[in-house]
Amino acid sequence: GIRYKLVTGVQTCALPISHIAFVIFFSLSLNILLTGDSSPSLDLIRGKTLDIFSFLYSPLTWVKSSFLLEEENTLLREKNLRLFLQFESMLQLVSENKRLEKLLEFKRESKLTLLASKVINKGLHSNITSISIDVGSLSGVGVNNPVLTSSGVVGKTILVADRSSVVQLLSDLNFRLSVRILPSEATGILRWVGRNLCEIREVQKNAVIEMGDKVVTSGFSKIYPRNLPVGEVIGITDERGSFQKIISVRVNDDLGSLINVFVITDQGDELD
């Protein structure tokens, strides 16, 4: 048969005249069906044609709708995440305000000279459990100044620079603290054993001690003033063949999550 050749650039494509004619007549037929005069038979054919086209386009419509839904879901997830982060930020601010209010109230009530500071680093010394704080000698801090929070003792300064200091924490295995147990007034030496737990040794066996008794600094040390809070009694063990017993104590603070602390720079007026 006769073929019509289309030449585009270098490539040549032979397209049958019958195919071209089919496309032309099909387009004209659709135009007549969709826009021509109205008659019952023609309306029926138009309806069938529309049904066929609707059926053929329905998968494309479904795919398009799926893409739109996925895009909307992505936007909603992003919006939910932003709202969640804003909510968490607000909760953190509320928690921070409560903690600062508690610290401020503690400073007002205390008779000691307290210097507020923030923790800026943790564990700089491999052989000492410690933190770094943002105050130093220019603020009146010296070596062996007691460090505490509104809940109790957490350590002492061991290295002081102009604007920062290193604090040896109560959780250091070499740390020792002279304490008293209230109301019995029994005394002993407190040391860390792990998981916010300490032991008091060298406590006389005849001392009357009960669960929940408060543990405070004894005042015998030149570093810590008397009656600073430390923790509470959670266990009592009598040592066989000894005139002493061991007292288990839970400290008041989570020493692994300290944020704000106080340094006692002047002990002129100790706690009563």
Side-chain angles (χ1 to χ4, degrees):
I2 299 175
R3 293 180 179 269
Y4 178 80
K5 293 187 176 180
L6 296 176
V7 180
T8 57
V10 180
Q11 295 181 346
T12 301
C13 178
L15 187 65
I17 294 178
S18 58
H19 290 184
I20 298 174
F22 173 77
V23 172
I24 293 172
F25 286 117
F26 181 74
S27 300
L28 291 173
S29 300
L30 284 179
N31 186 52
I32 293 171
L33 285 173
L34 298 176
T35 62
D37 295 332
S38 181
S39 68
S41 59
L42 195 58
D43 287 342
L44 179 62
I45 296 173
R46 286 175 180 170
K48 295 296 183 181
T49 304
L50 289 174
D51 289 342
I52 292 172
F53 273 96
S54 298
F55 176 77
L56 293 176
Y57 275 104
S58 60
L60 295 176
T61 305
W62 180 83
V63 171
K64 185 178 180 180
S65 299
S66 297
F67 279 117
L68 290 175
L69 286 174
E70 181 63 27
E71 184 177 355
E72 290 180 0
N73 287 335
T74 301
L75 292 174
L76 286 174
R77 286 195 295 267
E78 180 181 350
K79 187 175 181 180
N80 286 338
L81 178 59
R82 291 181 183 276
L83 291 174
F84 173 76
L85 292 176
Q86 290 176 2
F87 179 71
E88 286 294 317
S89 178
M90 292 175 63
L91 289 180
Q92 291 298 326
L93 289 174
V94 171
S95 177
E96 179 73 9
N97 286 337
K98 288 181 178 179
R99 181 170 62 251
L100 292 176
E101 286 176 1
K102 187 177 180 181
L103 292 174
L104 184 61
E105 188 65 27
F106 174 74
K107 186 174 182 179
R108 286 199 194 103
E109 294 178 355
S110 177
K111 298 179 181 179
L112 300 167
T113 302
L114 301 174
L115 177 64
S117 65
K118 288 185 178 181
V119 176
I120 57 177
N121 212 328
K122 297 181 181 181
L124 290 179
H125 296 267
S126 58
N127 59 338
I128 298 176
T129 305
S130 63
I131 57 173
S132 297
I133 56 177
D134 64 351
V135 293
S137 59
L138 295 179
S139 301
V141 180
V143 176
N144 284 335
N145 282 167
V147 179
L148 66 158
T149 68
S150 57
S151 298
V153 173
V154 297
K156 65 179 181 179
T157 57
I158 57 172
L159 180 63
V160 178
D162 289 344
R163 294 180 175 82
S164 61
S165 303
V166 176
V167 177
Q168 181 187 20
L169 293 177
L170 186 67
S171 54
D172 185 72
L173 294 178
N174 295 315
F175 193 97
R176 298 291 185 272
L177 182 62
S178 177
V179 296
R180 287 187 304 125
I181 304 171
L182 302 178
S184 68
E185 298 289 337
T187 60
I189 303 299
L190 180 139
R191 67 176 184 178
W192 184 262
V193 293
R195 296 184 180 180
N196 275 25
L197 298 178
C198 295
E199 286 182 351
I200 305 176
R201 293 180 175 269
E202 301 179 18
V203 178
Q204 294 298 317
K205 184 171 284 189
N206 60 357
V208 180
I209 300 171
E210 297 182 358
M211 304 287 284
D213 284 354
K214 301 301 179 183
V215 179
V216 297
T217 52
S218 66
F220 297 156
S221 167
K222 294 181 180 180
I223 297 176
Y224 295 94
R226 181 183 175 91
N227 284 348
L228 293 179
V230 177
E232 68 174 35
V233 175
I234 62 168
I236 304 167
T237 304
D238 288 329
E239 287 190 293
R240 292 184 178 181
S242 172
F243 294 102
Q244 299 175 347
K245 53 185 163 185
I246 301 173
I247 308 300
S248 297
V249 177
R250 180 188 294 112
V251 297
N252 294 331
D253 269 298
D254 181 2
L255 301 182
S257 59
L258 296 173
I259 299 175
N260 302 96
V261 296
F262 289 107
V263 181
I264 299 178
T265 57
D266 186 0
Q267 300 184 27
D269 296 319
E270 294 186 4
L271 295 178
D272 294 331

